[in-house]
Amino acid sequence: MDPNCSSALNCSLCPQDSNLSVHTENPDLTPCFQNSLLAWVPCIYLWVALPCYLLYLRHHCRGYIILSHLSKLKTVLGVLLWCVSWADLFYSFHGLVHGRAPAPVFFVTPLVVGVTMLLATLLIQYERLQGVQSSGVLIIFWFLCVVCAIVPFRSKILLAKAEGEISDPFRFTTFYIHFALVLSALILACFREKPPFFSAKNVDPNPYPETSAGFLSRLFFWWFTKMAIYGYRHPLEEKDLWSLKEEDRSQMVVQQLLEAWRKQEKQTARHKASAAPGKNASGEDEVLLGAQPRPRKPSFLKALLATFGSSFLLSACFKLIQDLLSFINPQLLSILIRFISNPMAPSWWGFLVAGLMFLCSMMQSLILQHYYHYIFVTGLKFRTGIMGVIYRKALVITNSVKRASTVGEIVNLMSVDAQRFMDLAPFLNLLWSAPLQIILAIYFLWQNLGPSVLAGVAFMVLLIPLNGAVAVKMRAFQVKQMKLKDSRIKLMSEILNGIKVLKLYAWEPSFLKQVEGIRQGELQLLRTAAYLHTTTTFTWMCSPFLVTLITLWVYVYVDPNNVLDAEKAFVSVSLFNILRLPLNMLPQLISNLTQASVSLKRIQQFLSQEELDSQSVERKTISPGYAITIHSGTFTWAQDLPPTLHSLDIQVPKGALVAVVGPVGCGKSSLVSALLGEMEKLEGKVHMKGSVAYVPQQAWIQNCTLQENVLFGQDLNPKRYQQTLEACALLADLEMLPGGDQTEIGEKGINLSGGQRQRVSLARAVYSDADIFLLDDPLSAVDSHVAKHIFDHVIGPEGVLAGKTRVLVTHGISFLPQTDFIIVLADGQVSEMGPYPALLQRNDSFANFLCNYAPDEDQGHLEDSWTALEGAEDKEALLIEDTLSNHTDLTDNDPVTYVVQKQFMRQLSALSSDGEGQGRPVPRRHLGPSEKVQVTEAKADGALTQEEKAAIGTVELSVFWDYAKAVGLCTTLAICLLYVGQSAAAIGANVWLSAWTNDAMADSRQNNTSLRLGVYAALGILQGLLVMLAAMAMAAGGIQAARVLHQALLHNKIRSPQSFFDTTPSGRILNRFSKDIYVIDEVLAPVILMLLNSFFNAISTLVVIVASTPLFTVVILPLAVLYTLVQRFYAATSRQLKRLESVSRSPIYSHFSETVTGASVIRAYNRSRDFEIISDTKVDANQRSCYPYIISNRWLSIGVEFVGNCVVLFAALFAVIGRSSLNPGLVGLSVSYSLQVTFALNWMIRMMSDLESNIVAVERVKEYSKTETEAPWVVEGSRPPEGWPPLGEVEFRNYSARYRPGLDLVLRDLSLHVHGGEKVGIVGRTGAGKSSMTLCLFRILEAAKGEIRIDGLNVADIGLHDLRSQLTIIPQDPILFSGTLHMNLDPFGSYSEEDIWRALELSHLHTFVSSQPAGLDFQCSEGGENLRSGNEAQRQVGGPQLEIVGQRQLVCLARALLRKSRILVLDEATAAIDLETDNLIQATIRTQFDTCTVLTIAHRLNTIMDYTRVLVLDKGVVAEFDSPANLIAARGIFYGMARDAGLA
């Protein structure tokens, strides 16, 4: 003990001997300092950290941990340490008693240390009770104890060696015991305890490892290593992913955001309410009020801040520490250069500085990675929350809102806009961090170079407005380009959904041209934006350099005495490099902010839209005895449309069966929608008591098993389930389906026929066992005999629903006598109401309606015709015969519940990974049961569409090669060479600077300043120019590649055979056109540029370091090995995680589209909440691959930055070791370069992985650009003669066909001859091959053997378009495309206006079209939503779709009349349209096509009874072929069908 200090308590303040501590080759600290401050540091830390830590533990209890051996051992060590401290204290007292007066520090230190050790021991136990498995607070405490004990550890040994004896054996012994115990405590603290007693680990098979990871493991992200190694050895699959933490699950995140948003809405409502009184002010006041601000809207931004603000604050703290740390290394560099310049300085100074540099870099790395971890997880929560909120909103928006926004837009909200917020998150803290870094850098630069820094700063300030202007311009381009992209995706979605119609009409070229037109505009915008972007690249690349140049130039010229030495130059360069980062990030921040602000507006606008009024239907009270009542109800589809239903007064008694009838467009479906609360109620009251089941006119089928479709979320009751299937005539179908009721039903019910879907939809209602059943024309989609069975067994007085309240909308007259009473609607009003007999006697509109539609049959005959069906064998036949006699073999038409919904759904489904837009005539053929069996061979368990598989393993080099070829090989080479040149120029400039700083040493003046500056400037500007040229070349190449790849994809898809579209959900194809093309357009080129940038940066750093300190080559190899290892593990795992992420993303949008399509059904059954949970689950499944992906990047960065920090350490170390041979300029050069290497190395791996993840887009686009195409459109050598076919003779010779290779034949050895001008009806049961036959005629299906000849010409020899353009089809579902009516009739503009008007007149559309102001330029909305049935032309758009189908069917008739080819194929669309329209069509065909050959696939036999011949198909072979009269006389299959229909 130093005698001078013995009386002072705080002996650390005694004069510090700098010769002892600093200016010596063997430094040491004074004993006073060691015994006081050094010993107290850990204690102070623990006492300061304790209050906050205890508070944290109180709020985060995870359940207690059972007392383990580890815990006991830790406690014993703590108690021993406490004992050692007390022993020291008692020893001091013992000395005092015996007359030796120890210094006060010997009392204070053991007391403080002892109490602290006791505290640490208690904390160990408290943590165990709170469930802490590994304590960071204690690990840091023990670590500080060990570090602070190392100095005395060395001192005491040195002192004993110097004196030759131990002066104080007791304290010497206790100190080393203390040291050993503290070291043991540190080692034990690194081990973690078992999980708490009631932890998730016990129930979760794959828990999130971070929650149970030890402190060090969490600090360095080691807990990810297991997955990295596993992912390297085996490709990761979904089952390998961890579960999410509770607080990251959708349910929690969405709930928090929703609450915050609701709060905003309430505040806005209050604000409006308080502002409302001013509304009734006088005119004078109004003028004053007019100047008031616009009404306040709820702010989504505030809701986001309220939800995620705390996470941001935490991340901001990390960012602040990291920013401050980044300025320490330049200061250390300054000390290092001074050390090299001073040969007298002790060597340990240099080693200390090198060690501190390494330590500081490591701290920086750790803090930065934790900052990124927080911020990216917050970004992910942003996305999750926004997606959840949008999903919930989509379930409740009104129909007018759905009409206003296309489906593509809504999916974009969920995919693109939510993603934008996620992308913005990492940049948000730059808003305050960038200015802070800039200010600090300028401050340190000022210290270094004085006021000349201002010149550089002024230059930077000047750049800001320039970049602002560019950003504004870029934003304008962005908005335009988004619009073009939306319209391109919308058009593509329509094309994919109507692909079959395009093929049948041979209209592909017209639509191809439209898409290419939009794409051309899109690429033009992209090109301009890319070139604009290169100018910013140039300014940002050159600005740090120009700033350095201007500053140095001013510094050297302002004062001749200013000497530029190595310290000033290189410390300034490293400070400018720090300055460069916030400046480089600012433009990115600005562009991300602008994009996010656009997205914010779009989301806010969507969330602020009107919602359906849940109170419009009163569910609690009702007049006794009634189930449904409407009092003077007036309803509309949207506030800006006239009412669809008005002045309704309806009372439905409990348990009654009510039929709703009336002509097309009278508002029958609207009435059902009004009862469900789907329409907007303008006045009146609606009461409906009890649970509701709803069968929409367009069956809504989910993509899940048939059983799940029927149960619809209810528990399985086997008896009730069996009964339901029997009643709905589904048992026969189950036998045919490959997996029975476990068969997966494709999206939109793709693998069921229309009738089967309708019966599944009905079964769902029956199984729900509700009180009220709203049945919107469920019998139209099924054949008459099936309709009879369903009526008898389900709906009618004897059916399973007897006793329940049933409202049945129907066109079927035969059921009316069995209903309790009938509501007759006309023009949206109730024209009559009452029981059947009463209405007949009135002889009013209802009686006329009956006479029109049942002229031949008196009422009695109507009823008798049913009794004919009662025979047992007929019943069996009827079920097998399934729904329609193949009502949806060719395509299926599904009128959707209402217009507005449809258009909305339409593009939605587009983006989902799915097939057709709901209700849009679906370009899918519907397989008959016999065919279905084979379809599913692919998956015997009954799945239809193959899962989209995530590719496995490395991306093949051929993909990179494909992209390089698309960019252009010369361009690719040029870009690489330009980058090599840029690196050379950059190294040259810095080596030149190094040489310049060494000039100063010759004499303390500098010569040739102008030459030095000139060369330095030239090299710098050259560097900028080369980068700009490279960026321009890349932009041009990127756009070229985008054009080439999109074109190849588009041309291939338009030419793909129909079978491709049957087995591939359209969402999957659309995903290629949207997401993957977006990546190729906008992501790949910048990623490649950044990769090249960081690659050449890293290489030039190594070149410079090796050149200045050759010794460095020794460590390059081990570091390179470590780097490569980390990279290999990371790349394999992260690539697979990225792929899993993209595969799990599609189902989110699929489900979203399905939900919006069936929103009315979901609401009717009151299942919105369940669907929200399903959506959350799908989002969580996607998040499960996002979280590990974020962690993998952190894990990688820690590894790579360790390598980078080692480069800094060795560059500094070798500089210290070789200081005798090095000049300060070289050391400055090498170390300042090494300080940048971490960033370059890190960025390089990140960009390599990004490139690999994103190049997958090229792989996916290429995959779909190389699929098999159909036969050529035109075969030049064999085109049919002009005017072919003259007669219209059709001959099938031994013709067989199958849908796809590997499936059974659908037509077998078909031979028949149809003479020119004959009218042939084609009938047969479902799956008989009727539609297949017409598909073969158009070569949608190609021959397996045999041939088809038309007028003697083999159709297989000519081009598809030559064939298809000479045939005409009126398909079952009337598909219209959005565009003018003119375009829908004549896309190639090959007919005159007179022709078109004549066709419209003949198709009974003339009145409607001429009443439209736009005439032929009348805009059809997508799917022809705004066309209604002919007799209602004057009524506004709006109501349910059924009322529209008729008119769209007439448009298809007009198309046929225009083309007027010799052969007409008519696929009757009976179910979708009413008798009136059907009669119109039949009459027109009889008159206008009297000389043509007409082939009709008939569903209503009465339409073909006057045909020349009837072809009866059975299982793909000709069963009967003769005139109708002969066939009936023969009493074969046709006779049976005619008898069923009451025609024989």
Side-chain angles (χ1 to χ4, degrees), residues 666-878:
C666 65
K668 299 185 293 294
S669 296
S670 301
L671 174 62
V672 175
S673 297
L675 289 175
L676 288 169
E678 297 286 318
M679 292 182 77
E680 297 188 31
K681 185 173 69 176
L682 299 177
E683 55 189 60
K685 288 203 169 100
V686 183
H687 294 271
M688 192 154 70
K689 186 98 191 276
S691 56
V692 177
Y694 169 49
V695 179
Q697 180 183 324
Q698 146 67 39
W700 176 70
I701 302 293
Q702 282 182 277
N703 182 7
C704 54
T705 65
L706 190 137
Q707 185 185 62
E708 286 165 338
N709 265 297
V710 174
L711 299 183
F712 204 50
Q714 291 195 316
D715 295 332
L716 175 65
N717 171 339
K719 191 172 164 214
R720 186 163 107 218
Y721 178 64
Q722 203 55 30
Q723 196 184 352
T724 302
L725 294 182
E726 264 172 57
C728 296
L730 278 167
L731 290 177
D733 301 286
L734 291 188
E735 286 164 24
M736 296 176 194
L737 290 170
D741 63 358
Q742 295 307 311
T743 304
E744 182 208 347
I745 309 298
E747 304 197 43
K748 315 272 185 305
I750 175 105
N751 46 344
L752 296 179
S753 70
Q756 285 171 323
R757 285 183 303 193
Q758 196 62 55
R759 284 179 294 126
V760 170
S761 176
L762 186 63
R764 175 192 300 153
V766 173
Y767 188 80
S768 72
D769 199 27
D771 304 321
I772 298 172
F773 289 78
L774 302 176
L775 311 170
D776 191 357
D777 206 8
L779 303 176
S780 66
V782 297
D783 276 355
S784 47
H785 46 270
V786 182
K788 160 78 171 143
H789 173 277
I790 288 178
F791 189 82
D792 289 348
H793 288 78
V794 182
I795 303 168
E798 307 296 314
V800 284
L801 300 184
K804 305 267 188 188
T805 310
R806 292 142 293 164
V807 175
L808 172 68
V809 172
T810 183
H811 285 134
I813 303 154
S814 29
F815 310 120
L816 299 180
Q818 300 180 57
T819 58
D820 295 328
F821 74 100
I822 298 168
I823 297 171
V824 186
L825 288 180
D827 290 329
Q829 286 174 298
V830 177
S831 72
E832 291 182 82
M833 193 155 65
Y836 183 79
L839 291 179
L840 268 186
Q841 282 161 4
R842 267 190 222 165
N843 213 2
D844 208 338
S845 53
F846 177 67
N848 297 338
F849 175 77
L850 280 185
C851 299
N852 285 343
Y853 289 119
D856 324 335
E857 319 166 33
D858 60 51
Q859 239 17 68
H861 181 88
L862 260 180
E863 286 166 46
D864 297 344
S865 69
W866 287 117
T867 44
L869 270 173
E870 297 305 315
E873 77 269 17
D874 284 334
K875 204 148 208 177
E876 193 50 40
L878 139 154

Side-chain angles (χ1 to χ4, degrees), residues 191 353 491 573 731 1193 1298:
F191 291 97
V353 170
L491 180 59
V573 166
L731 290 177
N1193 282 330
R1298 55 169 55 93

Side-chain angles (χ1 to χ4, degrees), residues 552-565:
L552 295 183
W553 178 70
V554 172
Y555 178 72
V556 176
Y557 277 103
V558 159
D559 183 350
N561 296 327
N562 279 353
V563 172
L564 188 66
D565 58 15

Side-chain angles (χ1 to χ4, degrees), residues 1413-1424:
L1416 287 179
D1417 292 329
F1418 168 73
Q1419 282 290 334
C1420 303
S1421 59
E1422 192 185 340

Side-chain angles (χ1 to χ4, degrees), residues 1227-1514:
V1227 172
L1229 178 68
S1230 119
V1231 177
S1232 65
Y1233 251 95
S1234 74
L1235 286 174
Q1236 298 170 64
V1237 78
T1238 318
F1239 183 72
L1241 290 177
N1242 208 333
W1243 207 234
M1244 187 161 82
I1245 287 197
R1246 192 72 46 76
M1247 287 303 118
M1248 275 155 84
S1249 303
D1250 268 9
L1251 178 62
E1252 227 178 341
S1253 323
N1254 287 314
I1255 203 89
V1256 172
V1258 176
E1259 189 178 19
R1260 285 160 54 96
V1261 166
K1262 274 301 213 192
E1263 175 199 355
Y1264 272 25
S1265 307
K1266 290 176 178 166
T1267 55
E1268 181 195 359
T1269 53
E1270 53 187 1
W1273 286 346
V1274 175
V1275 178
E1276 279 310 334
S1278 80
R1279 299 199 63 167
E1282 196 68 39
W1284 174 87
L1287 307 170
E1289 272 190 23
V1290 179
E1291 185 185 359
F1292 283 76
R1293 294 188 183 172
N1294 300 330
Y1295 189 88
S1296 300
R1298 55 169 55 93
Y1299 271 92
R1300 290 190 297 286
L1303 299 187
D1304 286 354
L1305 294 171
V1306 283
L1307 295 176
R1308 296 185 180 82
D1309 292 323
L1310 204 62
S1311 292
L1312 59 109
H1313 191 173
V1314 177
H1315 304 292
E1318 266 197 304
K1319 310 284 178 281
V1320 176
I1322 305 172
V1323 295
R1325 299 208 157 107
T1326 300
K1330 303 185 297 294
S1331 304
S1332 311
M1333 194 173 143
T1334 56
L1335 292 176
C1336 294
L1337 195 58
F1338 283 84
R1339 284 180 63 197
I1340 296 282
L1341 296 184
E1342 296 284 7
K1345 69 168 197 184
E1347 59 183 26
I1348 299 175
R1349 289 185 170 270
I1350 295 180
D1351 282 358
L1353 187 66
N1354 184 351
V1355 297
D1357 297 341
I1358 57 174
L1360 292 179
H1361 279 187
D1362 284 338
L1363 167 68
R1364 291 170 185 170
S1365 59
Q1366 298 309 319
L1367 306 175
T1368 306
I1369 185 166
I1370 300 182
Q1372 205 175 40
D1373 31 79
I1375 288 208
L1376 273 73
F1377 299 94
S1378 52
T1380 63
L1381 186 61
H1382 191 299
M1383 190 278 296
N1384 266 295
L1385 292 169
D1386 175 24
F1388 296 103
S1390 38
Y1391 299 97
S1392 67
E1393 285 215 1
E1394 291 79 64
D1395 291 344
I1396 292 176
W1397 279 110
R1398 194 173 312 113
L1400 288 174
E1401 193 153 349
L1402 293 169
S1403 58
H1404 311 276
L1405 280 170
H1406 191 282
T1407 348
F1408 169 74
V1409 180
S1410 48
S1411 71
Q1412 297 299 325
L1416 287 179
D1417 292 329
F1418 168 73
Q1419 282 290 334
C1420 303
S1421 59
E1422 192 185 340
E1425 245 59 301
N1426 45 358
L1427 285 175
R1428 302 176 67 75
S1429 56
N1431 58 355
E1432 285 200 85
Q1434 65 285 10
R1435 284 249 314 266
Q1436 285 294 312
V1437 184
Q1441 182 200 344
L1442 188 75
E1443 306 165 9
I1444 307 157
V1445 172
Q1447 227 183 18
R1448 297 210 304 260
Q1449 200 73 43
L1450 295 176
V1451 172
C1452 294
L1453 177 60
R1455 283 174 185 165
L1457 288 160
L1458 261 184
R1459 207 176 249 199
K1460 199 85 185 274
S1461 59
R1462 300 294 304 174
I1463 298 173
L1464 170 70
V1465 177
L1466 178 62
D1467 190 6
E1468 275 199 347
T1470 49
I1473 54 175
D1474 59 310
L1475 298 165
E1476 207 174 322
T1477 315
D1478 199 30
N1479 293 343
L1480 283 176
I1481 292 177
Q1482 293 297 341
T1484 307
I1485 286 168
R1486 281 178 176 73
T1487 54
Q1488 296 302 313
F1489 293 93
D1490 53 343
T1491 58
C1492 304
T1493 309
V1494 178
L1495 303 176
T1496 300
I1497 293 181
H1499 301 306
R1500 291 179 178 163
L1501 295 187
N1502 58 346
T1503 56
I1504 57 164
M1505 292 310 269
D1506 59 347
Y1507 273 26
T1508 332
R1509 289 194 283 173
V1510 171
L1511 167 67
V1512 182
L1513 286 177
D1514 189 30

Side-chain angles (χ1 to χ4, degrees), residues 486-797:
D486 276 353
S487 55
R488 175 171 61 85
I489 299 300
K490 180 169 173 258
L491 180 59
M492 271 321 297
S493 149
E494 282 195 60
I495 290 174
L496 293 176
N497 290 314
I499 189 78
K500 180 174 261 173
V501 169
L502 291 185
K503 287 185 183 304
L504 292 169
Y505 287 137
W507 279 1
E508 300 102 322
S510 158
F511 282 82
L512 199 61
K513 212 159 113 195
Q514 285 185 48
V515 176
E516 289 187 328
I518 298 175
R519 181 69 179 159
Q520 200 46 48
E522 205 181 346
L523 289 178
Q524 198 50 52
L525 275 175
L526 279 170
R527 184 176 288 115
T528 322
Y531 286 147
L532 239 181
H533 194 68
T534 56
T535 58
T536 54
T537 312
F538 174 71
T539 50
W540 288 117
M541 273 304 294
C542 284
S543 61
F545 173 80
L546 288 173
V547 170
T548 314
L549 176 72
I550 291 170
T551 310
L552 295 183
W553 178 70
V554 172
Y555 178 72
V556 176
Y557 277 103
V558 159
D559 183 350
N561 296 327
N562 279 353
V563 172
L564 188 66
D565 58 15
E567 185 190 338
K568 283 201 174 76
F570 286 106
V571 171
S572 303
V573 166
S574 61
L575 283 168
F576 277 126
N577 279 333
I578 291 178
L579 191 54
R580 176 190 198 151
L581 203 63
L583 286 180
N584 270 343
M585 287 301 188
L586 274 178
Q588 180 92 30
L589 169 68
I590 294 167
S591 85
N592 278 10
L593 272 175
T594 48
Q595 287 181 5
S597 69
V598 172
S599 295
L600 183 71
K601 271 196 200 123
R602 284 161 53 123
I603 292 171
Q604 192 162 303
Q605 189 185 356
F606 179 69
L607 292 180
S608 308
Q609 297 283 17
E610 288 176 52
E611 298 183 4
L612 285 170
D613 176 13
S614 54
Q615 304 305 313
S616 66
V617 177
E618 174 57 61
R619 289 295 180 89
K620 302 276 189 301
T621 57
I622 195 163
S623 325
Y626 290 106
I628 301 171
T629 59
I630 302 180
H631 297 295
S632 53
T634 300
F635 303 90
T636 179
W637 281 108
Q639 293 289 354
D640 53 344
L641 294 178
T644 310
L645 299 169
H646 33 94
S647 326
L648 294 185
D649 278 295
I650 295 172
Q651 272 106 9
V652 177
K654 260 194 192 147
L657 167 56
V658 182
V660 181
V661 297
V664 166
C666 65
K668 299 185 293 294
S669 296
S670 301
L671 174 62
V672 175
S673 297
L675 289 175
L676 288 169
E678 297 286 318
M679 292 182 77
E680 297 188 31
K681 185 173 69 176
L682 299 177
E683 55 189 60
K685 288 203 169 100
V686 183
H687 294 271
M688 192 154 70
K689 186 98 191 276
S691 56
V692 177
Y694 169 49
V695 179
Q697 180 183 324
Q698 146 67 39
W700 176 70
I701 302 293
Q702 282 182 277
N703 182 7
C704 54
T705 65
L706 190 137
Q707 185 185 62
E708 286 165 338
N709 265 297
V710 174
L711 299 183
F712 204 50
Q714 291 195 316
D715 295 332
L716 175 65
N717 171 339
K719 191 172 164 214
R720 186 163 107 218
Y721 178 64
Q722 203 55 30
Q723 196 184 352
T724 302
L725 294 182
E726 264 172 57
C728 296
L730 278 167
L731 290 177
D733 301 286
L734 291 188
E735 286 164 24
M736 296 176 194
L737 290 170
D741 63 358
Q742 295 307 311
T743 304
E744 182 208 347
I745 309 298
E747 304 197 43
K748 315 272 185 305
I750 175 105
N751 46 344
L752 296 179
S753 70
Q756 285 171 323
R757 285 183 303 193
Q758 196 62 55
R759 284 179 294 126
V760 170
S761 176
L762 186 63
R764 175 192 300 153
V766 173
Y767 188 80
S768 72
D769 199 27
D771 304 321
I772 298 172
F773 289 78
L774 302 176
L775 311 170
D776 191 357
D777 206 8
L779 303 176
S780 66
V782 297
D783 276 355
S784 47
H785 46 270
V786 182
K788 160 78 171 143
H789 173 277
I790 288 178
F791 189 82
D792 289 348
H793 288 78
V794 182
I795 303 168

